[in-house]
Amino acid sequence: MGHVFVVPGDITRFACDAWLLPSDRTLNVERPWLDTVDGLAGAVRAAERDPASRDLREENTLAFALPCRDDRPTPVLTAVPFHGVRSPADVEERVTAGLAEAARVARRRTGPRGRPLVATPLFGTAAGGGDAFRGTLVRAVLEAARRAPVDVALVLRTPRDLAHAQRIRCGEIDRWWPELEGDLRTTSLRLAEEARRGRLVPFIGAGVSMSAGLPSWTGLVDRLLGDHPEPVDRREFGGLDILDQAEILERRHDDRAAFAAAVVRHTTATRYGVAPALLSGLPCREAVTLNYDELYEMAGDALGRRTAILPGESAEAGQRWLLKLHGTVRDPASIVLTRRDYLDFRSGRDALAALAKAVFLTRHLLFVGFGLTDDHFHEVVHDVRAVRRSGGHGPKLGTALMLSTSDLQRRLWGADLDLVPLDGGGVHTRVEDRARRMEMFLDHLLAHSDTGLGHVLDPRFHAVLTPAEQRVASLLTELAGSFGPDEWSTPAGTAVGELLGRLGHDTRR
């Protein structure tokens, strides 16, 4: 049984095995797709010459997988009705067929998640002609995805589509998150409340980036070791502390810059996975990471949420920021990996550590994909513990999603962190299955962090509102229509406009 994720972002930059590409039986693909996806135009032309695509053109089938390089998600042409979308049933039928073909393709690939993942956009709302009843199409695509035999990500870009999709699922929790047991749901709801209050801060570890094909910290060292044919005693090397392993690997390069370039090469990805997209979609203005990659920022950019990177940039008032304690691929010289880097960090980055400590003391941290073992992390927690002892204990510092936990870990961290195991009490033994449960947890968290109101004043969603909501929408729309330029230009008018915008009002309509 697959899980349906609702993911904010841009499907053309999303890491998956296959994705549904809207088309028609003439293999016509809209120009924005061709302009955005590298190599897509050539693949479509090849499909036009392929005899196997005749079934799609003759309407004997509804989906056709395009030829694609193995390192890219496979586009699956999925035909909208030639006459246009006239009802949600039209879309549900076509998406069901497309997902079946995409699942067949995805099962032949070996992606980093260890389990096939297929992505789909919201079908039929552009050239398909179904935009006027967009709200009912969201439900149709969700229902088709729920029946798919693989994990499916419904990738949405607009707050209105996201709000409605989340509202549907939050009203039917058992249907959409059947694999999450009650205690995980309870923890997620508690964290969602922290997010809505502006108190939740994600602390992002390497485990978050692995669904995009990037390595863990130990995996990075293994890749760097494999870059050079120079023999090494693997047993002796493995017995060293990982910081010393990195120090040895750096000395195998001509200089520090060459080593940093190698690290950047292994920690750069052009597509973000499920976890970065879900974390980036949370209503959080601050985040902290030890990762070098740009997946979190990339996912935010797809939603128009630019992220200021600290250090190096200044965050404007109200702008969200990401504190990169160990550097970034954007600035290879900033990367912290070796023993010497760690020692230099202590002497030169006191301001960063101070900012991290302030976040620990004033927010609720959510540790994701992070094993709680980094030395710098321990130093920050040590100082924070000293402050907490002097002023009384107070609430815990945060919550840590753990692939598994032990009695010793709980003794070590129980006074500071809520440890949330993802192994289902030992039922889920594979790391890939536990990582997938982390994604499902984040999916539940994001869904319940959304206020679910971003579509209320959009007339395309009028049919899915309750009668009381329809009356509220009519009154607010009437109010908006009564405002002129003079009223909108006042401070009060500006505040009203911001509220109406959050409810989905569009002055261009």
Side-chain angles (χ1 to χ4, degrees):
M1 182 178 180
H3 178 77
V4 180
F5 298 92
V6 171
V7 176
D10 178 357
I11 196 170
T12 66
R13 305 193 72 180
F14 183 66
C16 57
D17 297 299
W19 60 287
L20 272 56
L21 174 62
S23 174
D24 61 24
R25 64 183 175 88
T26 67
L27 304 189
N28 178 59
V29 175
E30 293 297 309
R31 173 55 57 183
W33 295 109
L34 299 176
D35 291 342
T36 303
V37 182
D38 184 38
L40 182 59
V44 172
R45 288 195 298 269
E48 292 171 346
R49 300 188 297 269
D50 188 342
S53 68
R54 185 180 302 125
D55 282 344
L56 182 66
R57 295 193 292 270
E58 295 177 356
E59 294 193 286
N60 295 322
T61 184
L62 300 179
F64 176 77
L66 293 177
C68 179
R69 282 173 26 187
D70 289 341
D71 61 342
R72 297 179 183 174
T74 300
V76 177
L77 290 177
T78 304
V80 298
F82 196 64
H83 53 71
V85 175
R86 296 173 179 171
S87 72
D90 288 338
V91 166
E92 191 166 345
E93 175 193 26
R94 304 304 170 112
V95 173
T96 296
L99 291 175
E101 174 65 8
R104 183 187 68 80
V105 172
R107 288 196 182 101
R108 298 203 304 259
R109 300 169 67 104
T110 54
R113 290 179 78 244
R115 182 167 180 145
L117 176 66
V118 171
T120 178
L122 181 59
F123 256 73
T125 57
D131 189 54
F133 46 94
R134 193 181 191 99
T136 54
L137 295 187
V138 173
R139 164 73 79 173
V141 176
L142 281 173
E143 292 295 342
R146 196 176 69 85
R147 294 191 298 270
V150 295
D151 288 347
V152 177
L154 172 56
V155 184
L156 302 172
R157 297 192 71 164
T158 70
R160 297 160 188 169
D161 294 336
L162 285 162
H164 183 48
Q166 305 296 30
R167 180 176 181 174
I168 289 172
R169 298 196 302 158
C170 290
E172 304 165 356
I173 293 178
D174 288 337
R175 290 188 78 218
W176 300 101
W177 291 278
E179 296 181 67
L180 280 188
E181 54 266 31
D183 56 342
L184 288 181
R185 294 183 191 177
T186 300
T187 300
S188 173
L189 292 175
R190 174 175 56 80
L191 293 172
E193 175 61 24
E194 296 281 9
R196 289 192 296 270
R197 292 168 56 197
R199 281 184 32 83
L200 190 68
V201 176
F203 192 109
I204 304 168
V208 167
S209 304
M210 293 175 69
S211 63
L214 296 185
S216 64
W217 201 359
T218 55
L220 172 60
V221 169
D222 287 341
R223 292 189 185 186
L224 292 169
L225 184 61
D227 281 346
H228 293 272
E230 180 183 340
V232 64
D233 187 323
R234 291 272 183 166
R235 183 174 180 179
E236 182 181 0
F237 184 81
L240 297 175
D241 183 274
I242 194 166
L243 299 180
D244 296 321
Q245 291 177 349
E247 189 79 31
I248 289 174
L249 292 171
E250 182 183 36
R251 295 178 185 181
R252 301 175 98 182
H253 291 74
D254 294 335
D255 52 34
R256 163 70 186 181
F259 177 67
V263 173
V264 168
R265 185 173 67 255
H266 290 299
T267 55
T268 298
T270 57
R271 298 176 184 274
Y272 52 84
V274 175
L278 296 174
L279 286 167
S280 191
L282 288 170
C284 303
R285 288 189 176 177
E286 306 103 349
V288 183
T289 186
L290 301 182
N291 297 351
Y292 316 128
D293 63 68
E294 298 184 296
L295 301 184
Y296 179 87
E297 308 95 292
M298 193 190 307
D301 288 345
L303 295 172
R305 300 175 183 172
R306 188 182 176 281
T307 306
I309 306 303
L310 307 181
E313 298 181 25
S314 58
E316 299 176 0
Q319 183 183 5
R320 74 175 192 170
W321 51 261
L322 173 64
L323 174 58
K324 288 196 162 184
L325 285 170
H326 283 178
T328 173
V329 295
R330 195 180 302 178
D331 178 14
S334 69
I335 287 175
V336 175
L337 181 59
T338 68
R339 175 75 66 188
R340 183 174 55 186
D341 294 336
Y342 266 65
L343 295 174
D344 289 343
F345 181 97
R346 292 189 180 100
S347 62
R349 301 200 182 187
D350 291 343
L352 297 186
L355 180 56
K357 293 169 190 175
V359 170
F360 273 62
L361 286 167
T362 59
R363 299 289 189 267
H364 187 91
L365 276 293
L366 173 61
F367 296 90
V368 187
F370 180 62
L372 307 179
T373 58
D374 180 79
D375 285 355
H376 290 158
F377 166 74
H378 280 267
E379 291 176 9
V380 170
V381 171
H382 173 75
D383 290 345
V384 170
R385 280 171 173 163
V387 173
R388 281 160 55 86
R389 279 195 297 270
S390 65
H393 279 291
K396 293 186 178 182
L397 299 176
T399 301
L401 304 183
M402 308 291 290
L403 296 186
S404 63
T405 59
S406 65
D407 289 337
L408 292 179
Q409 283 180 314
R410 284 187 286 272
R411 289 184 188 181
L412 182 62
W413 292 107
D416 303 298
L417 301 173
D418 287 322
L419 302 185
V420 180
L422 297 166
D423 59 359
V427 173
H428 301 278
T429 57
R430 295 199 317 155
V431 171
E432 294 89 342
D433 292 336
R434 296 175 186 179
R436 177 174 176 266
R437 282 166 61 78
M438 178 189 75
E439 294 173 342
M440 289 192 290
F441 180 96
L442 295 176
D443 181 52
H444 186 275
L445 171 60
L446 177 57
H448 288 84
S449 299
D450 194 317
T451 58
L453 300 175
H455 63 294
V456 171
L457 297 186
D458 189 326
R460 298 171 297 179
F461 293 85
H462 187 76
V464 301
L465 302 179
T466 66
E469 288 173 328
Q470 290 177 351
R471 291 192 294 274
V472 170
S474 296
L475 290 170
L476 291 177
T477 301
E478 182 180 350
L479 171 66
S482 68
F483 274 43
D486 291 341
E487 288 79 15
W488 287 123
S489 65
T490 65
T494 300
V496 171
E498 291 174 352
L499 171 62
L500 297 180
R502 290 197 296 273
L503 295 175
H505 176 68
D506 188 346
T507 57
R508 296 170 298 179
R509 287 184 175 275

